[in-house]
Amino acid sequence: MKTNASNRREFLHNASMLGGMAFLPSSLKDATKTFAPATPERIIAPRLKFGVVGINHGHIYSMANSIIRGGGEFVSYYAKEPDLIKDFAKRYPQAKLVKSEAEVLEDPSIKLVLSSITPNERAPLGIRVMQHGKDYMVDKPGIISLEQLAEVRKVQQETKRIYSISFSERFENKATELASQLVASGKIGKVMQTLGTGPHRMSVNSRPDWFFDTKYYGGIITDIASHQVDQFLHFTGSTQGEVVASQIANHHHPQYPKFQDFGDLMLRSNKGSGYIRVDWFTPDGLNTWGDGRLTILGTDGYMEVRKNTDIASPHGTGSHLYVVTNKETVYIDCKDVNLPHGELLVNDVLNRTETAMTQAHCFLSTELALIAQKNATNISIKA
């Protein structure tokens, strides 16, 4: 965490401008002792070899980078698309482009396989990876139907391999990571409810054909809202849950009849409740692809994670966290927070543990998103 006199003065000014919040400067000064300073991002020496199959979404870059930071050595990759390979090869010259998927899956030195292949292909690929005795980390949505989920669960139980979905809005967002640490420390008491939003910019010209067809990506809740379902379960500490209600729509893109641009859902669990809204309506005037937010309500306070930008202040783009307790209101610039997920997953592969994410959590997050998608009421605005 980075907190200094300038930041405190700026926050006091912004708070008075944005809603009349009042507190003593000494409270913020004391607050600098409340949170441990973040450690700089570190890279661990290679201790595990990994490969990649399928690079159809740009998330593969953050996924590979996280494993490299955590001690992974990138050995080889396979992809079919020459245009995607060109950029990927420039970023990872240390890795070898091979001629087939089998060359990655049958390499005995590779212990972990990463993928951002087209969403409908992710579960079948993961099954093949596990059947080859390797662990798997896949971009979300990692599974796009309940039928796929059943088969993945079956093979995972048979092989005892790791099937991990990269919920990057938690694993690769610094404010969300710090919020996770603070919730675990009891900073806001027991979490009762989360409110997560996942707005995205369409950027139509950059999207492949499969992006506009639910047959390939599973639907907006299956896709985007899988992030927010993961966060709901994680922050409430839930081990079971149910979908109370869900809705989907294509409000504004009739030229893509198999596309969904809006979705929302309500969740209930053994530990709390949650509301989620996702959409493709980020306007071009915003300074980033989406103003993603997460509000975490606890018995002794609340937090708001502003994942990509903070439009209500001069903070601008970046990863921001607000913490409100019975004693203080604090703004934290999270740019220096360390992201541990890659290291934890590498540890899990080597030690056969579940420190990055339990398998049960991964599958429950996926199941709830899939149920919400399947049972959603279509509320599309009719012309």
Side-chain angles (χ1 to χ4, degrees):
M1 174 198 69
K2 184 178 181 182
T3 305
N4 54 40
S6 174
N7 285 345
R8 291 196 293 272
R9 287 194 298 271
E10 178 182 271
F11 183 75
L12 283 166
H13 171 74
N14 292 334
S16 65
M17 294 292 290
L18 296 174
M21 292 184 291
F23 45 84
L24 295 174
S26 60
S27 174
L28 281 174
K29 182 178 180 181
D30 293 340
T32 63
K33 303 173 184 178
T34 304
F35 309 107
T39 56
E41 205 76 74
R42 60 175 180 158
I43 299 177
I44 297 173
R47 54 207 174 101
L48 174 147
K49 293 183 178 182
F50 75 96
V52 168
V53 175
I55 56 175
N56 296 80
H57 195 289
H59 286 158
I60 193 64
Y61 290 96
S62 63
M63 292 164 62
N65 292 344
S66 72
I67 298 302
I68 291 170
R69 290 196 308 269
E73 178 185 348
F74 192 1
V75 175
S76 63
Y77 64 98
Y78 171 69
K80 301 176 184 178
E81 302 81 10
D83 55 328
L84 300 179
I85 291 171
K86 181 179 179 181
D87 293 335
F88 197 72
K90 289 180 181 178
R91 187 77 64 92
Y92 302 107
Q94 74 273 33
K96 178 184 177 182
L97 172 64
V98 296
K99 296 180 180 179
S100 69
E101 170 189 304
E103 289 189 60
V104 176
L105 300 191
E106 294 174 7
D107 183 341
S109 73
I110 291 175
K111 305 302 180 185
L112 174 67
V113 175
L114 278 52
S115 181
S116 71
I117 202 167
T118 304
N120 64 308
E121 299 180 76
R122 292 172 186 174
L125 172 60
I127 288 170
R128 296 193 296 274
V129 169
M130 292 188 292
Q131 289 173 336
H132 278 80
K134 303 182 189 305
D135 297 311
Y136 185 55
M137 179 169 76
V138 62
D139 188 16
K140 67 83 211 164
I143 300 167
I144 69 161
S145 71
L146 290 167
E147 292 75 19
Q148 283 190 345
L149 176 61
E151 186 62 22
V152 167
R153 274 180 158 150
K154 176 176 176 290
V155 175
Q156 192 279 324
Q157 281 293 308
E158 292 171 349
T159 63
K160 305 301 181 184
R161 309 316 302 178
I162 297 170
Y163 192 105
S164 179
I165 297 173
S166 179
F167 295 119
S168 56
E169 285 195 23
R170 177 159 67 94
F171 299 148
E172 293 297 313
N173 185 272
K174 296 186 174 187
T176 313
E177 169 57 31
L178 183 56
S180 182
Q181 295 176 21
L182 296 178
V183 165
S185 76
K187 185 65 181 174
I188 60 170
K190 180 188 176 193
V191 174
M192 301 175 289
Q193 199 257 5
T194 65
L195 190 161
T197 59
H200 284 60
R201 179 176 289 138
M202 277 283 286
S203 302
V204 172
N205 293 334
S206 70
R207 303 293 180 178
D209 291 342
W210 59 260
F211 174 83
F212 301 100
D213 190 339
T214 55
K215 178 175 69 175
Y216 296 102
Y217 74 92
I220 192 169
I221 294 176
T222 296
D223 181 16
I224 303 177
S226 60
H227 283 302
Q228 284 72 31
V229 176
D230 160 71
Q231 290 160 60
F232 162 73
L233 294 175
H234 172 74
F235 282 103
T236 59
S238 300
T239 55
Q240 62 187 47
E242 62 178 314
V243 179
V244 178
S246 56
Q247 304 176 131
I248 54 171
N250 184 345
H251 284 316
H252 194 59
H253 299 88
Q255 69 274 38
Y256 305 115
K258 297 181 180 180
F259 182 67
Q260 296 164 6
D261 56 26
F262 176 89
D264 71 347
L265 62 147
M266 293 175 59
L267 296 169
R268 183 187 299 127
S269 77
N270 57 329
K271 295 292 183 67
S273 60
Y275 172 75
I276 294 165
R277 191 208 80 216
V278 291
D279 66 77
W280 288 99
F281 288 106
T282 293
D284 290 341
L286 189 68
N287 56 7
T288 186
W289 55 264
D291 185 9
R293 301 190 187 191
L294 171 67
T295 300
I296 308 165
L297 177 64
T299 54
D300 299 319
Y302 69 90
M303 299 182 193
E304 183 178 358
V305 178
R306 299 194 176 187
K307 298 179 182 180
N308 309 310
T309 188
D310 190 358
I311 64 170
S313 80
H315 301 142
T317 56
S319 194
H320 310 279
L321 179 64
Y322 290 90
V323 184
V324 183
T325 69
N326 291 319
K327 296 181 179 180
E328 58 202 0
T329 298
V330 183
Y331 161 74
I332 307 171
D333 183 344
C334 298
K335 64 182 179 181
D336 294 324
V337 171
N338 186 52
L339 296 170
H341 178 257
E343 179 181 355
L344 293 174
L345 184 58
V346 170
N347 289 343
D348 290 341
V349 172
L350 294 174
N351 302 325
R352 311 318 299 167
T353 51
E354 294 188 323
T355 62
M357 174 174 58
T358 68
Q359 192 64 73
H361 174 97
C362 178
F363 286 155
L364 180 59
S365 299
T366 301
E367 181 178 20
L368 290 175
L370 292 172
I371 290 172
Q373 179 72 53
K374 182 178 180 179
N375 297 336
T377 300
N378 192 321
I379 58 168
S380 299
I381 296 174
K382 305 300 181 183

